[in-house]
Amino acid sequence: MTKNLCVIGLGYIGLPTAVMFANHGVRVHGVDVNQRAVEMISNKQLHIEENGLQERLDKAIDSGMLTVSTEPVEADAFIVAVPSPIREDRTADLEYVRKATASIVPYLKKGNLIILESTVPPKTVEDVMLPELEKSSFKIGEELFVSHSPERVIPGRIFEELEQNGRIIGGINEKSAEMTKELYEAFVKGPIELTDATTAELVKVMENTYRDVNIAFANEMAKIGEHLDVNIWDAIRFANFHPRVNIHQPGPGVGGHCIAVDPWFLVELAPEQSNIIHLSRKTNDGMPEFVADRVMEFVGDSERKIAVLGLSFKADVDDMRQSPSIDVINNLQEKGFTVASFDPHVKDDSHPTQVKSIEEAAEGAAMVLILTNHKEFKDLEPGQVADAMDEKIIYDTKNCIDLPAWKVAGFRTYLLGDHKDNTNE
């Protein structure tokens, strides 16, 4: 039974995972190369935003079950939860995984279990992790046990989903998978399925690719809806009444550490077999430019100010990784617009266009552009910004504002995927 666990990487997945184990009877040592993050965590301060994390971190630190530093320690099991981004050329950058694996080699002992949680291209355990682990003096599969158990959680609901969601575990052999299952049974209530490592890697990438393809379909339907003068949000809602239909929602693009990244793993590994996947990626990556073009059409003059609401990729979190909002802003600036952005969940110095309030963003602006459906924006009233604006235009790309109320207040209102209402009055 695992009594001591070492978690490498204390970001959006690693820290909640470490805290979860620590609060379920496993002594955890967390490791991160970011000295500032380590200092904050040790002082019970958060460097990321997640519902329920603060109180769980307080409990883990106060109980002594969680310690943190920049260096690994000996343990019964190791979890690697580090980034697996893509490069400029859309190929996988697995250096974080390789370096994290290499960092634990001096601390390994006979019988250790090493688990990769990062979402990675299929064959990463086999081609990246095992060569590093073989540099130890232990025989892989007999003295060291290795598996892949990808996270399946969404920001904002991480703790609920860590506990309730099913888990896929892929071991390099049966014993590796069984040992991993026994560890996660400390808190996982959902079903745990066992397979081999490469299958587990593919399953996680497939799950995120399915969502990316579905969103691309929704974005394409939004463009078709505008062409046909149909409100695509209503059409999707009606279509989803069908018991075998689940169309996702359109938007200004796709962000986050998974959906905007993982499909490229399959394009890289099997370019001739991934035509739909590749086209979906291009469709979703093209939405920020589509939105910026619409802004130009609606405003009519690029020498104007746009108030952008939302920098994170998802509602009510601070995560800006791969956020389409950043690409929209870049496209607007390239067209000559001045941009002032506001996001109540993102630290003030995270982006150069940031200001400290919605009212400041709206001061002298021609348009309010909503890119993230934070609760604060859903509750926004026209009177908060109307008097400060140079012209009253609002463009909602997330269908989160009561646009009829804004129209009554004298605004020209525009909705992504509903060109019927996007006419100048």
Side-chain angles (χ1 to χ4, degrees):
M1 180 177 178
T2 300
K3 297 180 180 179
N4 296 284
L5 172 67
C6 185
V7 176
I8 312 299
L10 296 175
Y12 286 92
I13 300 302
L15 181 57
T17 299
V19 167
M20 198 70 163
F21 275 112
N23 290 335
H24 284 80
V26 180
R27 192 170 297 277
V28 181
H29 183 74
V31 180
D32 202 284
V33 296
N34 185 332
Q35 178 69 47
R36 175 61 177 156
V38 167
E39 291 174 356
M40 291 180 68
I41 295 166
S42 64
N43 290 317
K44 296 184 291 187
Q45 298 173 343
L46 298 183
H47 69 294
I48 59 173
E49 180 182 15
E50 178 57 39
N51 293 332
L53 178 55
Q54 184 66 67
E55 53 265 39
R56 288 175 171 87
L57 176 63
D58 290 349
K59 179 182 176 181
I61 295 288
D62 289 343
S63 67
M65 294 297 287
L66 175 63
T67 58
V68 292
S69 75
T70 57
E71 295 292 336
V73 297
E74 288 189 356
D76 301 313
F78 296 81
I79 290 178
V80 174
V82 296
S84 50
I86 51 173
R87 303 184 182 93
E88 290 278 335
D89 63 357
R90 308 299 190 188
T91 59
D93 181 358
L94 299 175
E95 272 300 289
Y96 293 100
V97 174
R98 188 192 65 77
K99 288 180 179 179
T101 306
S103 75
I104 67 174
V105 170
Y107 302 92
L108 294 176
K109 57 186 180 181
K110 185 177 179 180
N112 275 168
L113 172 66
I114 300 96
I115 304 164
L116 177 64
E117 277 215 10
S118 309
T119 304
V120 292
K123 300 287 188 183
T124 296
V125 167
E126 182 179 325
D127 295 341
V128 178
M129 291 192 76
L130 293 188
E132 293 297 329
L133 296 174
E134 286 168 354
K135 295 175 183 178
S136 72
S137 59
F138 302 109
K139 191 167 184 179
I140 307 297
E142 296 182 14
E143 297 175 313
L144 288 182
F145 303 92
V146 187
S147 67
H148 178 53
S149 183
E151 51 85 10
R152 280 171 148 177
V153 296
I154 191 168
R157 290 182 47 83
I158 286 180
F159 288 104
E160 295 94 325
E161 297 202 350
L162 276 175
E163 185 176 71
Q164 299 297 332
N165 286 1
R167 199 150 195 127
I168 184 80
I169 292 173
I172 61 165
N173 58 11
E174 185 176 349
K175 185 171 182 180
S176 296
E178 290 288 352
M179 290 174 66
T180 306
K181 179 182 179 183
E182 181 183 1
L183 174 62
Y184 282 102
E185 283 176 335
F187 60 79
V188 173
K189 294 181 179 178
I192 299 177
E193 303 291 341
L194 304 187
T195 184
D196 61 89
T198 301
T199 299
E201 290 166 331
L202 179 59
V203 167
K204 178 58 192 295
V205 175
M206 284 173 62
E207 291 169 354
N208 289 330
T209 300
Y210 160 78
R211 295 172 65 197
D212 191 52
V213 172
N214 197 320
I215 294 168
F217 174 66
N219 281 329
E220 194 162 279
M221 291 308 304
K223 296 176 182 178
I224 292 172
E226 292 190 6
H227 179 71
L228 298 177
D229 286 344
V230 171
N231 183 321
I232 205 62
W233 301 88
D234 286 342
I236 289 174
R237 180 167 58 88
F238 296 146
N240 284 345
F241 287 153
H242 192 291
R244 291 180 294 280
V245 173
N246 179 27
I247 303 170
H248 293 1
Q249 294 186 334
V254 173
H257 67 294
C258 281
I259 301 179
V261 173
D262 300 350
W264 289 115
F265 297 163
L266 298 179
V267 174
E268 179 185 356
L269 291 174
E272 295 183 6
Q273 292 80 24
S274 55
N275 295 322
I276 293 174
I277 297 168
H278 196 182
L279 182 57
S280 297
R281 274 285 72 235
K282 291 172 66 176
T283 298
N284 288 333
D285 279 353
M287 288 306 294
E289 183 176 4
F290 177 85
V291 169
D293 287 343
R294 278 287 188 258
V295 171
M296 175 66 83
E297 177 185 341
F298 301 152
V299 174
D301 180 4
S302 64
E303 294 184 2
R304 307 291 294 280
K305 177 183 175 182
I306 307 299
V308 169
L309 301 188
L311 289 170
S312 65
F313 84 92
K314 182 182 178 296
D316 305 326
V317 301
D318 65 345
D319 195 344
M320 289 174 57
R321 288 176 294 177
Q322 307 292 323
S323 176
S325 298
I326 308 307
D327 292 328
V328 173
I329 290 172
N330 291 341
N331 274 278
L332 291 173
Q333 291 177 325
E334 288 172 3
K335 292 179 182 295
F337 288 104
T338 299
V339 176
S341 65
F342 173 72
D343 192 309
H345 295 267
V346 173
K347 294 182 177 64
D348 289 344
D349 58 352
S350 298
H351 194 269
T353 65
Q354 274 182 278
V355 296
K356 297 186 181 299
S357 69
I358 293 175
E359 292 78 8
E360 185 180 351
E363 184 69 38
M367 171 187 280
V368 170
L369 172 61
I370 298 177
L371 298 178
T372 312
N373 52 335
H374 292 314
K375 182 181 185 301
E376 292 87 345
F377 302 156
K378 293 178 182 179
D379 296 338
L380 181 65
E381 297 290 340
Q384 287 181 244
V385 296
D387 292 342
M389 295 182 68
D390 184 56
E391 188 174 355
K392 294 181 181 179
I393 309 173
I394 185 167
Y395 181 23
D396 182 2
T397 69
K398 300 295 289 186
N399 193 27
C400 69
I401 289 286
D402 181 8
L403 287 181
W406 286 73
K407 185 168 286 189
V408 169
F411 278 77
R412 281 195 281 136
T413 61
Y414 298 92
L415 175 64
L416 175 70
D418 184 17
H419 204 272
K420 177 174 57 180
D421 291 335
N422 293 348
T423 53
N424 293 339
E425 297 179 355

